[in-house]
Amino acid sequence: MFSAVDVFEAVAEPNRRHLLGLLAERDRTAGELVDSLPTLTQPAVSRHLRVLREVGLVEVRPDGQRRIYALKPDGLQRIDDWITPYRRFWRDHLAALQQHLENR
Amino acid sequence: MFSAVDVFEAVAEPNRRHLLGLLAERDRTAGELVDSLPTLTQPAVSRHLRVLREVGLVEVRPDGQRRIYALKPDGLQRIDDWITPYRRFWRDHLAALQQHLENR
DNA sequence: GCTGAACATAACTAAAGGCGTATATAAGCG
DNA sequence: CGCTTATATACGCCTTTAGTTATGTTCAGC
């Protein structure tokens, strides 16, 4: 109902970024992901996966009693879209630096 | 104990993204930024600016008793660098969609 | 020096977020 | 059917965060 988490909040959490990194390599079951985050308990990982699901960054499909998680391709695009207009700032900056080096 | 906010946390806050948007247009004084966020008080905006400063997303220069804030070009690049490896996912996805359309 | 403007910080409060333990749900297996 | 494995949810705890009001601090102009 409430708690409408957005994608920026979702990726602000380091463990969740870690999970996304793992899923970028390949699809994994919830159990594999739990094993990959040894500092967290199973419920903690499950909750992080829920957040990622709710903002559309991952999707799940059942496989017997397992649940296979997969990266959802277009989720991060919203962040990328947000960054796009800013990109020119550091491009300009780099260009200026290069210019400066060439002129000395 | 210590805050050590990172850039992902910094941009997770909607008001801070709003501030970055304003600074992308042009440099502004703290006062102008306060006026641009009428739902917040002056101290609240000041603290958001502090967070943005601490993660290197903006910089300040004094101008008499004013403080002029400016976007710092390379701050968001860290997020962009993080996103880069994921970018292929939605590109592949889009390509697959296009392929699908062409083949029907 | 005094006063007001511009901005930052302090102190507090309320809400949210992340964690772990305990418990539920659901599927596989004998 | 029980029993075990895989995963999700409930609940309480604790820490962090964002907000407010109140107070500092610094500079400009008289």
Side-chain angles (χ1 to χ4, degrees), chain A residues 61-74:
Chain A
R61 56 179 190 276
D63 174 38
Q65 53 179 348
R66 318 277 173 93
R67 302 201 139 227
I68 300 179
Y69 279 83
L71 202 63
K72 223 174 151 186
D74 44 309

Side-chain angles (χ1 to χ4, degrees), chain B residues 1 4 9 15 20 34 41 47 61 67 75 79 82 86 89 92 104:
Chain B
M1 181 186 174
E9 291 245 352
N15 290 313
L20 291 175
V34 170
T41 59
R47 283 198 9 222
R61 58 179 188 276
R67 301 199 136 229
I79 295 184
W82 174 76
Y86 295 95
F89 283 96
D92 291 359
R104 49 195 303 267

Side-chain angles (χ1 to χ4, degrees), chain A residues 49-69:
Chain A
L49 289 171
R50 171 133 104 113
V51 172
L52 293 174
R53 235 186 303 134
E54 285 176 350
V55 302
L57 283 174
V58 304
E59 60 189 357
V60 206
R61 56 179 190 276
D63 174 38
Q65 53 179 348
R66 318 277 173 93
R67 302 201 139 227
I68 300 179
Y69 279 83

Side-chain angles (χ1 to χ4, degrees), chain B residues 9 21 25 38 45 47 57 66 68 75 77 87 93 97 101:
Chain B
E9 291 245 352
E25 296 174 10
V45 175
R47 283 198 9 222
L57 284 175
R66 318 278 172 93
I68 299 180
Q77 198 173 1
R87 201 165 283 129
H93 190 230
L97 273 185
L101 289 177

Side-chain angles (χ1 to χ4, degrees), chain B residues 30-41:
Chain B
E32 287 178 295
L33 295 170
V34 170
D35 294 344
S36 302
L37 286 164
T39 66
L40 293 185
T41 59

Side-chain angles (χ1 to χ4, degrees), chain A residues 21-90:
Chain A
L22 292 166
L23 293 176
E25 295 174 10
R26 63 170 178 276
D27 296 359
R28 297 182 196 244
T29 66
E32 288 179 294
L33 294 171
V34 169
D35 294 344
S36 303
L37 285 165
T39 66
L40 294 185
T41 59
Q42 176 265 321
V45 175
S46 187
R47 278 193 314 264
H48 282 310
L49 289 171
R50 171 133 104 113
V51 172
L52 293 174
R53 235 186 303 134
E54 285 176 350
V55 302
L57 283 174
V58 304
E59 60 189 357
V60 206
R61 56 179 190 276
D63 174 38
Q65 53 179 348
R66 318 277 173 93
R67 302 201 139 227
I68 300 179
Y69 279 83
L71 202 63
K72 223 174 151 186
D74 44 309
L76 287 173
Q77 198 172 2
R78 271 171 288 165
I79 294 184
D80 201 58
D81 290 347
W82 174 77
I83 279 204
T84 296
Y86 295 94
R87 201 166 283 127
R88 70 171 183 88
F89 283 95
W90 66 79

